[in-house]
Structure formats: structure tokens, C-alpha cells
Amino acid sequence: MPTAKKRKIIHVDMDAFFASVEQLDHPELRGKPIAVGGTSDRGVVAAASYEARKFGVRSAMSSKVAKRKCPNLIFVKHRFERYKEISAQIRSIFLEYTDLVEPLSLDEAYLDVTYAKKGLPSATLIAKEIRQRILEETGLTASAGVSYNKFLAKVASDVNKPNGMFVVTPDKAQDFIDQLEIWKFFGIGKVTAKKLNAIGVWYGRDLKMIDRLELTRMFGKAGNYYYDICRGIDNREVQPSRERKSVGAENTFLQDLFLEDELKKELLIIAEKVWERADRSGVKAKTVTLKFKYADFEQHTRSKTMEPYINTKERFVSESLKLMKSEGGFSKGIRLLGLTLSNFLHEQEGEMGVQLVIEF
């Protein structure tokens, strides 16, 4: 187990954040299965309460499937401004303890408390105090993971969810990783987990048996990451200023679209939104990406990069349409279209970017 650079890292993750906020603000929803997101058959669940999760309802699931799994499911329209308001309140608590706060989203963040601004030197006690303050000041519960690196802190925060905490100390880390199921590894998705399962890798101890060369052959650069994390090695620092790299929008249709004219009309609406957001943010992008999802949920992306950058809305629209036409027809029907601008031009004043916007 590595001994250098033993940081004190906390990963704080709010419990079913969007759904919990709705239950906080609407007492009549407490104790009931609710889903935040689209109410139509073509809608998507943005978040589910723990009462809904007991039925198998999960975020990113179609509303139709969610309703089938939980017939009594209550759909609630999202209120992002309210979530941002509470997120800012929670972040202000974090900043009382350390300036090294790296938000991952509205509901989770890494904190490096190696040299905390206040409180006891114990990261465990700091995490306990932060969770208590979040509960007292917002009425919401949070889970936390504590360890010496980001990977272990992130995984640990899931162990005793909801409203719990788990600590992975350096002397216990390798045993914890060895017994960790491979699908629980942060950074290993479902597809990779299945590929590893197929070759007999089910736990961290199994992954540790594969050498670095073989992992990089199988998974490219990610193989190096897998080789390190199963040995408890993760030297990434907590980054207070995370560069945001894209701006985009997408739309899921009430009915599958087959006709080119219909798809063109929808694409133009999406392009207008994306360009307006990019223009407002002052970014200059080099790459446009088209995303489309067929009726059977098969998903594809097509991208094009232009130099020095995409300088007009007309060019952006034109290139977006070309990407769509290059597919050569959508015989299966399209249920979702999306556009993203990325690969931002680096100005003299620094790198600029905005976060990817997802439409529900």
C-alpha cells in the first residue's frame, strides 16, 4: 500500500437530493415514492426518492418503465433554481472547513481537509460535523466517505447510504478493495464490468491479478487507472476550479420521428438553444457533436471539428444538419436528438467553458 502523500479526503453525497428537496418543501410527499422529471411516457426520471428506489426506480430510467415498476409513483416537475439555492447553502458550509472543495454536481463534492481551516484534525470528525450541520441548516441528510484519496472516499460514501458514513483508513484500504465487487468501483461502468466478469474478474482481488500491460491492451489508457485503483493508488488532487468543457441541449420526443423534415425542424430548435447558451457564455467552440437515440434506445454520436472555431450560428446549424444527413436515414425512428459544442478555444484571458445542460 502506498505511503506517500496521505491526504485527508472527504466525499459528501446528498441523499436522493432532488427528490429529498421536493419532500422537504412538500410535506405531503414525505414517505411516498416520488420521481423528479418528465411525466409523459417519453419522459425521463431525473431523481427518485428512496421509497421509489425500493421498487427499482432509478435516475435516467424512462418514466414509462418507472411507472410500470411502481404503479403508485408520483411524478414531480423539477425546480433547478431551488436545488441550486440549497446546493450553494451546502457549499458555504464546506468552505468554512477548507478552500479545497471540488463540486462534482449540485449534490456531491470532494473536500481536502488535510489542513482544515477549522475543527479537529480528524477528517472523520470533520465529516461527522459537516453532515450534522447540513441536517440542521437544510433539513436534508448527506452521506460521506472518508479516506486518503478521491477514489476510496467516493466509493466509501456509498457504503452506508442513506444518511451514513464510512471510513477507509490506509491500513484497511487493501482489504476493503480486495473484497469490493467490481461494479462498485468508481470509474468502471456496466460495460467494462461485464467485460471483466467475462474473464473471471468479480472483485478487486481478481482485478489485482491482471498486470498493467494486459489492462492497457484491453482498455487503453483507462487500464492504467484500473491497475492503480485496485492497489489503492489515486494521486489526483482535489481541484477547486474544475474546467467545464461543453454546452449543449437535447430533446426526447413524445413520438418517434422518421421523416427528415420533422427531424430537421427539431434539430433547428435545439441548435437555437445551444447557440444562445454558448453566445451568452462567451465561448468559442471548435467541435460540434450530434447525439441521436433510436426508438430501441440504441445511441450514436457524430462529431466534426473546425478550425479556428465555429464562428457563426449559420455555420453551426449547417454543420449540424450535415452530421444528421450523413447518417443516411433513420429507418428505426428517432426518440432523442441532442447537440453539443465543445473543444473550446483558449483565449488569452484563460480557458472558458460552461457545463453541459440536459433537458428533461
Side-chain angles (χ1 to χ4, degrees):
M1 188 60 55
T3 57
K5 281 192 175 182
K6 284 295 185 293
R7 302 186 180 99
K8 298 177 182 179
I9 307 297
I10 302 171
H11 178 259
V12 179
D13 193 2
M14 300 302 296
D15 299 320
F17 184 52
F18 294 177
S20 295
V21 171
E22 296 303 331
Q23 290 178 321
L24 176 71
D25 290 351
H26 302 95
E28 70 276 11
L29 296 177
R30 295 175 190 172
K32 297 180 180 179
I34 73 167
V36 178
T39 58
S40 70
D41 286 346
R42 305 307 295 269
V44 177
V45 174
S49 67
Y50 281 97
E51 295 85 355
R53 294 183 188 188
K54 291 178 182 178
F55 292 87
V57 179
R58 296 287 186 269
S59 60
M61 178 180 287
S62 75
S63 300
K64 187 175 183 178
V65 172
K67 191 69 174 178
R68 188 165 62 243
K69 286 180 174 289
C70 181
N72 295 324
L73 188 64
I74 301 170
F75 285 94
V76 182
K77 185 176 176 59
H78 62 71
R79 297 180 298 149
F80 283 120
E81 290 306 314
R82 175 61 171 153
Y83 309 149
K84 289 178 183 176
E85 176 189 340
I86 296 181
S87 179
Q89 188 179 355
I90 293 167
R91 196 162 301 169
S92 68
I93 295 174
F94 295 161
L95 291 171
E96 290 185 30
Y97 294 85
T98 177
D99 292 326
L100 298 178
V101 177
E102 179 180 341
L104 299 179
S105 60
L106 292 177
D107 62 343
E108 62 176 317
Y110 289 113
L111 289 72
D112 186 332
V113 295
T114 308
Y115 305 102
K117 292 157 66 174
K118 63 179 289 187
L120 297 171
S122 166
T124 302
L125 292 178
I126 290 173
K128 182 178 179 180
E129 185 174 319
I130 287 174
R131 290 178 59 242
Q132 183 61 34
R133 286 195 56 191
I134 290 173
L135 179 62
E136 292 173 354
E137 296 178 30
T138 71
L140 300 172
T141 63
S143 296
V146 182
S147 195
Y148 62 88
N149 65 37
K150 292 167 76 172
F151 167 72
L152 287 167
K154 171 74 173 175
V155 174
S157 66
D158 276 336
V159 173
N160 287 326
K161 252 186 171 299
N163 195 23
M165 186 170 75
F166 191 78
V167 181
V168 181
T169 57
D171 59 317
K172 301 291 185 182
Q174 193 61 66
D175 285 342
F176 173 76
I177 296 168
D178 286 348
Q179 298 175 52
L180 189 67
E181 292 176 274
I182 209 69
W183 64 271
K184 293 182 179 180
F185 275 61
F186 178 66
I188 294 183
K190 291 181 179 179
V191 174
T192 301
K194 286 182 179 179
K195 190 173 181 179
L196 287 166
N197 291 164
I199 59 172
V201 177
W202 294 90
Y203 295 91
R205 59 177 177 267
D206 303 323
L207 183 60
K208 200 170 60 174
M209 298 299 291
I210 306 177
D211 64 35
R212 187 186 295 272
L213 187 63
E214 180 63 13
L215 284 172
T216 54
R217 185 191 68 78
M218 294 175 63
F219 302 105
K221 292 181 180 179
N224 284 313
Y225 172 73
Y226 302 154
Y227 181 87
D228 286 340
I229 59 174
C230 69
R231 291 165 172 76
I233 302 170
D234 180 6
N235 295 320
R236 294 173 300 154
E237 296 181 355
V238 172
Q239 300 286 347
S241 299
R242 299 175 70 239
E243 181 188 357
R244 294 171 177 175
K245 298 181 178 181
S246 64
V247 57
E250 60 186 42
N251 190 22
T252 300
F253 309 121
L254 294 175
Q255 295 181 337
D256 299 330
L257 301 183
F258 293 85
L259 300 179
E260 184 177 330
D261 287 346
E262 291 178 329
L263 290 164
K264 179 179 177 181
K265 179 181 177 181
E266 294 294 339
L267 194 69
L268 291 175
I269 293 172
I270 295 169
E272 186 71 29
K273 289 182 182 180
V274 175
W275 189 261
E276 189 273 332
R277 290 166 181 166
D279 188 54
R280 186 172 64 232
S281 302
V283 298
K284 296 177 180 178
K286 297 181 180 183
T287 302
V288 55
T289 300
L290 169 73
K291 171 184 174 183
F292 57 93
K293 187 181 292 185
Y294 287 113
D296 60 3
F297 288 86
E298 181 182 333
Q299 181 173 300
H300 296 272
T301 58
R302 300 285 182 268
S303 298
K304 184 175 181 180
T305 298
M306 287 154 275
E307 296 292 347
Y309 60 91
I310 304 169
N311 56 357
T312 65
K313 181 173 70 173
E314 290 72 23
R315 190 179 185 194
F316 170 52
V317 170
S318 174
E319 296 299 338
S320 298
L321 289 171
K322 287 179 182 177
L323 287 173
M324 186 179 74
K325 290 181 179 180
S326 70
E327 186 60 20
F330 301 101
S331 58
K332 289 193 290 187
I334 295 294
R335 77 182 314 268
L336 176 147
L337 275 179
L339 286 171
T340 302
L341 283 169
S342 60
N343 192 11
F344 296 137
L345 184 69
H346 295 177
E347 302 283 13
Q348 288 183 349
E349 65 268 24
E351 298 181 350
M352 301 178 66
V354 294
Q355 192 171 16
L356 175 66
V357 178
I358 301 179
E359 297 279 320
F360 294 102

